[in-house]
Amino acid sequence: MELTPRLQLIAEQVPQGARLVDVGTDHGYLPVWLLCSGQIDHAIAADLRAGPLERARETARQHGQTEHISFRLCNGLTAVEPEEVDTVAIAGMGGETITSILKAAPWTHQDKLLLLQPMSGELQLRKWLQDHGYAILRERIAKEGKRLYSILTVKSGIMDPLSPAELWAGRGCGDPLWPEYLAMRAQKAEKALQGHREAKKPDKTAVAQLEAVLAGLREMEKGWRPMTTVGEVFSYLQEKAPFELQADFDNAGFLVGREAAAVSKILVALDATESVVEEACELGAQLIVTHHPVIFGPVQAVTDQTVAGRVLLALAELRIAAICAHTNLDAVEGGVNDALALRLGLTNIQLLKQDGVDRQGRPYGIGRVGYVSEQPLYDFAMAVKRLLGANGLRLVAGERPVRKVAVGGGACSDMVQDVLAQECDTFITSDVKYHHFLEARALGINLVDAGHFPTENVVCPVLRDWLAQRFPQVSVSISQYHREVFSYL
C-alpha cells in the first residue's frame, strides 16, 4: 500500500507504539499502513458517515488488520475516550471543522500529539490554536499535483505569538517546499486585498491588515535561507547535547563528511547501517544523524570486505555526511533517557544519578526515575512492550508492584545499585546479563530488559523535532528502513 504525500507526511510524525485515532478516516489508509509497517499495534478509525467507515473496514480486511482497528461511527472525537489515545490525526477537513472537533474535545489539550492537515482555513486554525494554549511544533508541506498542503504538528504548550504573516503562512517548516507555499499564501492575500480595494465601500481595517500581511510575507521570503551546512547542524547539536559530555570509551561527534557541505535533507536513525545509507541516498539526504557512532572501534582499513568499511565507503562515495550523538545524548536533559521516561508515561521525572553539570550549568547523568500508577508487573511490562514497539521482553519479578520506576536506555544493567539507592521497585533497561537478573531477584527489584533498539530508538523523534525546529528550511525525516534486528520465538 502506498500513501498519498499528505498521508505519508502524517505517518512520518506518528511515534512508534502510538495509540492513534484517525478522525475522518475515509478509506482507513493511514491506520492500516501504520499497522502493516509495525509502527503501531492498534488504532481507532472514526468517521461521521457510515460509507467511509465501511470503506475503511474493507481496507483493513484486505490487509488483515481488522482485529487491530476499532471502528467508531461518530462526529469528530465524541466516541473516543481520552485514555484510549495519545495521538490524534485529523486530515482532509477545513480549518473551521478541525477547530470545532478540538473545541468539543478539550482533553486534546492534555499532552496529546495532534497531527492536523487542513484543506482550507489555515489562518483561522493557527489563530485558534495559538489563542487556546496549543503550540505548533512544526509545519511540513505536501505537494499533490499543483496543490500544496500544510501538516501541523501540535501539542499543548506556549509558543511565541504568530505575526499576521505567520498566521497566513506558518513559521517555516522542515521542508524545502515552504517558499513555494509562502508564495501561494501571498498570492491569496493579494487577491483578498484586491477584492477589498475594489469594493464600493472598502473596509479600511481589512485593507490595512492585509497590507501588513503582505509586507510580512515579503520579508519572510527575503529572510528565508536556502542553505544549511553540516557544520551548522553539528554546532547546534553541540548546544543541545555537548559532545564533551560523552563517556571516555565513546566516539560521538562529526565523523564523516565535509563541514561546509550544504544540507537540504537530513535522515535520522539509531544506526547508520547499509540500508540506512541506501535510504538516505533514495531520499536525497546529504546528512545522516544517528545515536550510535558509525565509527566506534579502531578502523584499520576502509574496504568492501567489512560491514563498517562498506558503510564508510558508501557514505564517502555518495557524499553523505554523518554526525553521531551517543552517550552525550544519553545524559543530557531531553535526550534518550528523558524520551524513554516520557514514552513510558513516567511523571515527576528526575535524574537517576547526576554525573556533573555542563558549561551552561545544566545537570546531566545517565538514567531517569519517575512514577506510574501502582500496577502489577505483568500489566506494566505489556504496556512497555506496546509503547516501545518491542518484539519481546525478558524480565524477572521482584517483591513489589510497579510504582517507582527507573529507566536506562541501552545497556545500563550495571546501574542496579543506583536503582536500589533511589528505592525504585522497577528498572527498565536492555542488554541485561544473567548475573544482573540474579542480583535483581535477590534484591527484590523488578528488572525488565526491553531491548537495546526499543529503549533507545525513542530518541529519533526528539532529534527530528530539534533539527526541524532549528532548521525549518531543511527536510528532516526518520528512517523507515531501520528496525529491531532480532525477534523472539
Side-chain angles (χ1 to χ4, degrees):
M1 173 192 294
E2 291 189 9
L3 297 178
T4 64
R6 286 184 299 127
L7 291 181
Q8 183 62 51
L9 274 183
I10 293 172
E12 289 176 5
Q13 313 301 311
V14 176
Q16 180 74 38
R19 293 172 289 144
L20 173 76
V21 56
D22 182 27
V23 181
T25 192
D26 197 6
H27 288 78
Y29 293 139
L30 177 64
V32 171
W33 187 90
L34 289 167
L35 286 163
C36 290
S37 66
Q39 197 159 331
I40 62 175
D41 56 19
H42 182 78
I44 297 172
D47 206 289
L48 179 63
R49 297 169 297 163
L53 204 61
E54 184 53 40
R55 289 195 292 271
R57 282 195 180 92
E58 180 57 31
T59 301
R61 279 194 290 267
Q62 291 174 0
H63 293 84
Q65 298 296 340
T66 305
E67 295 182 358
H68 302 288
I69 300 180
S70 175
F71 299 92
R72 310 279 174 90
L73 183 64
C74 63
N75 186 359
L77 292 161
T78 55
V80 179
E81 297 298 326
E83 61 272 14
E84 291 185 288
V85 300
D86 53 32
T87 305
V88 178
I90 310 176
M93 303 180 192
E96 291 183 0
T97 302
I98 295 174
T99 297
S100 66
I101 290 172
L102 297 178
K103 278 183 180 178
W107 54 263
T108 57
H109 196 269
Q110 299 169 8
D111 200 29
K112 307 295 183 185
L113 180 68
L114 310 180
L115 305 172
L116 312 177
Q117 184 268 299
M119 301 295 284
S120 60
E122 298 95 334
L123 185 154
Q124 292 81 2
L125 177 60
R126 291 189 187 100
K127 188 172 189 315
W128 186 87
L129 290 169
Q130 174 182 263
D131 293 345
H132 289 81
Y134 293 86
I136 301 172
L137 303 182
R138 62 185 170 275
E139 295 196 33
R140 299 282 302 276
I141 307 299
K143 188 171 187 177
E144 294 183 6
K146 294 182 179 180
R147 293 201 62 179
L148 295 167
Y149 303 93
S150 181
I151 291 95
L152 286 68
T153 302
V154 177
K155 290 195 83 169
S156 61
I158 299 173
M159 63 177 175
D160 293 333
L162 296 169
S163 69
E166 289 169 338
L167 286 171
W168 268 78
R171 189 174 276 154
C173 65
D175 196 309
L177 284 172
W178 188 66
E180 188 177 343
Y181 178 76
L182 188 63
M184 178 195 76
R185 298 298 292 164
Q187 187 178 13
K188 289 191 174 185
E190 287 175 353
K191 187 176 180 180
L193 178 59
Q194 182 181 355
H196 279 288
R197 284 173 172 169
E198 294 176 353
K200 290 182 179 180
K201 294 183 178 180
D203 184 333
K204 293 182 180 180
T205 301
V207 168
Q209 289 175 342
L210 286 167
E211 286 175 343
V213 166
L214 278 170
L217 292 175
R218 293 188 184 107
E219 286 300 314
M220 290 165 73
E221 286 179 323
K222 291 178 184 178
W224 186 75
R225 293 194 309 149
M227 189 183 83
T228 296
T229 66
V230 172
E232 288 175 324
V233 175
F234 178 66
S235 294
Y236 173 65
L237 290 175
Q238 167 68 15
E239 295 174 14
K240 298 294 288 185
F243 287 87
E244 62 266 21
L245 304 184
Q246 65 181 290
D248 294 340
F249 63 81
D250 204 0
N251 189 41
F254 172 32
L255 302 184
V256 178
R258 297 182 183 276
E259 186 177 16
V263 176
S264 63
K265 292 185 179 181
I266 299 173
L267 182 63
V268 174
L270 192 67
D271 303 275
T273 64
E274 290 181 80
S275 63
V276 168
V277 176
E278 179 184 350
E279 183 179 7
C281 180
E282 291 175 0
L283 290 172
Q286 302 87 5
L287 171 63
I288 297 174
V289 175
T290 66
H291 179 46
H292 292 138
V294 66
I295 303 172
F296 200 76
V299 176
Q300 296 180 325
V302 180
T303 72
D304 62 358
Q305 302 304 300
T306 65
V307 174
R310 288 194 294 271
V311 170
L312 293 172
L313 273 176
L315 289 169
E317 292 169 349
L318 295 169
R319 297 186 178 182
I320 298 174
I323 297 173
C324 311
H326 192 208
T327 50
N328 54 317
L329 190 59
D330 287 326
V332 297
E333 180 181 356
V336 172
N337 285 288
D338 278 312
L340 178 57
L342 289 169
R343 177 67 65 85
L344 297 181
L346 272 61
T347 60
N348 192 24
I349 298 168
Q350 305 290 330
L351 288 174
L352 172 59
K353 179 183 178 182
Q354 182 173 330
D355 294 327
V357 294
D358 65 13
R359 293 180 182 178
Q360 299 181 45
R362 298 173 298 189
Y364 68 89
I366 303 295
R368 297 293 183 268
V369 174
Y371 294 86
V372 297
S373 58
E374 186 170 310
Q375 57 195 284
L377 174 61
Y378 178 80
D379 293 347
F380 183 65
M382 290 302 292
V384 169
K385 183 175 183 290
R386 173 177 57 78
L387 291 167
L388 300 184
N391 291 338
L393 305 174
R394 297 187 301 150
L395 70 162
V396 63
E399 299 172 350
R400 292 175 287 168
V402 179
R403 173 64 177 139
K404 188 174 183 181
V405 180
V407 299
C412 293
S413 58
D414 58 352
M415 299 184 74
V416 168
Q417 290 298 326
D418 297 306
V419 173
L420 188 66
Q422 289 278 7
E423 298 182 346
C424 297
D425 49 70
T426 304
F427 186 26
I428 311 296
T429 186
S430 74
D431 300 349
V432 178
K433 294 182 178 180
Y434 177 67
H435 74 274
H436 287 136
F437 276 122
L438 290 177
E439 182 183 18
R441 172 168 286 180
L443 295 172
I445 296 174
N446 302 311
L447 179 58
V448 178
D449 185 331
H452 203 110
F453 180 92
T455 58
E456 291 194 327
N457 198 53
V458 291
V459 82
C460 288
V462 172
L463 286 169
R464 177 199 59 200
D465 292 350
W466 285 355
L467 295 169
Q469 290 175 44
R470 175 59 180 83
F471 303 103
Q473 66 273 28
V474 176
S475 175
V476 188
S477 57
I478 297 174
S479 173
Q480 299 298 305
Y481 286 8
H482 194 30
R483 300 285 180 184
E484 174 66 275
V485 71
F486 58 85
S487 56
Y488 296 80
L489 294 178

